[in-house]
Amino acid sequence: MKNTKNLKHKIDVVIPFYNENQNLKILIPSLYSVLNSLKKYQFRLIFIDDGSQDLSSEVIINFKNKKKIKNNFFLLKNKINRGQTYSYKKYFKKFKSNFFLRIDSDNQDNPNDIKKIFKIFDLNHDMILTYRQKRKHNSLLIFQGKIYTFFCNFLTKKKLKTFTSSMVLYRSKFLNFDKLSFNDHRYLPLLAILNGAKKINIVDVKHNKRIYGNSKYKITNKIIFGPFEFLFFILRFYLGLIKG
């Protein structure tokens, strides 16, 4: 991204991926263009290859070389597929930023919606969630997400309409990744609030159907094992094992 004068803050945009060759060809130019249009902030675009076996990393390297980008564009690699939580831990070990925006690599989120986030963002925000309208997911998965949101609101005494955002802006201090493991990345909005995040907003965004590839998480696993995983996460938090 371009360096401009009088930038108010640095923000990392973090994209873990696994075998998303075709999707990255679409995502990277669009994302790069959107971030360049937001002149008020300095962005670092950080991709994390979670042990891909296709040409995903080459897509990123080729784009960087084509655009002759020298700064603020990074690629990290896991030797084997370790999952998103491990990938975010790797990001935090290498980079330090007060804020970071997470976005999936499957193009189900529209990079243009990032503009909606930064239209309302100020440096006092702790988190900005996105609410995916007319989700293109399995109906059982959507229902499970509503139940999950209900319990998250109960635990946090909030009245948020979603805790399942795939594109979220976080204040980093509320997320201690050194303590996280398993699939804890799924619970980052809940964890941020439990750790003290207070100024929170939600923006409505479009949800696109995946065109290339398949979800890395089987729906049956989410539905059957998801509740137990959630309870295990809550237990570990209240035992102080993952509390920030």
Side-chain angles (χ1 to χ4, degrees), residues 168-213:
V168 187
L169 180 71
Y170 296 98
R171 186 184 292 274
S172 301
K173 74 175 185 178
F174 295 111
L175 302 171
N176 186 348
F177 274 87
D178 289 339
K179 298 181 179 180
L180 301 186
S181 56
F182 305 106
N183 286 317
D184 289 344
H185 67 277
R186 296 180 183 176
Y187 311 109
L188 295 184
L190 173 60
L191 181 62
I193 295 174
L194 290 174
N195 279 335
K198 297 187 181 303
K199 184 171 182 180
I200 302 163
N201 277 104
I202 299 178
V203 297
D204 292 340
V205 297
K206 295 179 180 179
H207 187 224
N208 301 318
K209 187 175 181 179
R210 177 189 270 270
I211 298 175
Y212 296 106

Side-chain angles (χ1 to χ4, degrees), residues 12 91-92 95-101 125-126 169-177 195:
D12 290 340
Y91 152 69
F92 267 92
F95 297 95
K96 301 294 182 184
S97 180
N98 288 337
F99 295 94
F100 80 96
L101 174 72
H125 269 101
D126 294 325
L169 180 71
Y170 296 98
R171 186 184 292 274
S172 301
K173 74 175 185 178
F174 295 111
L175 302 171
N176 186 348
F177 274 87
N195 279 335

Side-chain angles (χ1 to χ4, degrees), residues 6-183:
N6 301 318
L7 292 166
K8 291 190 175 181
H9 217 83
K10 294 180 180 180
I11 297 172
D12 290 340
V13 180
V14 186
I15 308 102
F17 64 88
Y18 175 69
N19 290 346
E20 294 288 3
N21 176 27
Q22 295 298 325
N23 283 315
L24 286 171
K25 289 179 180 178
I26 299 171
L27 174 65
I28 296 173
S30 178
L31 183 58
Y32 183 79
S33 176
V34 168
L35 297 181
N36 263 331
S37 71
L38 298 170
K39 305 295 185 182
K40 195 174 180 180
Y41 306 99
Q42 182 178 8
F43 295 96
R44 291 190 297 193
L45 189 51
I46 301 164
F47 294 91
I48 308 167
D49 185 344
D50 190 22
S52 294
Q53 298 175 340
D54 63 3
L55 299 177
S56 294
S57 286
E58 282 75 6
V59 173
I60 295 167
I61 294 170
N62 290 339
F63 182 85
K64 182 176 181 178
N65 291 337
K66 181 180 178 181
K67 291 289 184 179
K68 298 180 180 180
I69 305 169
K70 294 182 179 180
N71 301 311
N72 303 332
F73 196 101
F74 303 91
L75 172 64
L76 306 179
K77 287 187 177 184
N78 299 331
K79 292 182 179 180
I80 60 173
N81 183 230
R82 301 291 299 270
Q84 286 200 32
T85 299
Y86 180 88
S87 296
Y88 282 112
K89 290 177 73 170
K90 188 163 193 164
Y91 152 69
F92 267 92
K93 286 181 180 179
K94 186 173 179 62
F95 297 95
K96 301 294 182 184
S97 180
N98 288 337
F99 295 94
F100 80 96
L101 174 72
R102 66 149 291 181
I103 181 172
D104 286 343
S105 59
D106 56 13
N107 286 314
Q108 291 188 270
D109 287 311
N110 188 334
N112 279 312
D113 285 328
I114 293 174
K115 296 176 183 178
K116 294 182 180 180
I117 293 175
F118 286 99
K119 186 175 182 179
I120 66 169
F121 172 73
D122 62 51
L123 298 181
N124 294 316
H125 269 101
D126 294 325
M127 182 166 61
I128 299 179
L129 298 152
T130 56
Y131 178 70
R132 297 171 289 182
Q133 299 175 309
K134 299 179 180 180
R135 287 178 61 184
K136 311 300 182 183
H137 289 146
N138 179 282
S139 57
L140 285 175
L141 196 60
I142 293 173
F143 178 72
Q144 186 185 50
K146 291 180 179 179
I147 297 297
Y148 169 71
T149 294
F150 170 82
F151 281 108
C152 287
N153 277 319
F154 175 78
L155 288 169
T156 59
K157 298 180 180 180
K158 299 287 185 182
K159 294 182 180 180
L160 302 179
K161 60 183 179 180
T162 185
F163 275 80
T164 63
S165 308
S166 57
M167 183 164 63
V168 187
L169 180 71
Y170 296 98
R171 186 184 292 274
S172 301
K173 74 175 185 178
F174 295 111
L175 302 171
N176 186 348
F177 274 87
D178 289 339
K179 298 181 179 180
L180 301 186
S181 56
F182 305 106
N183 286 317

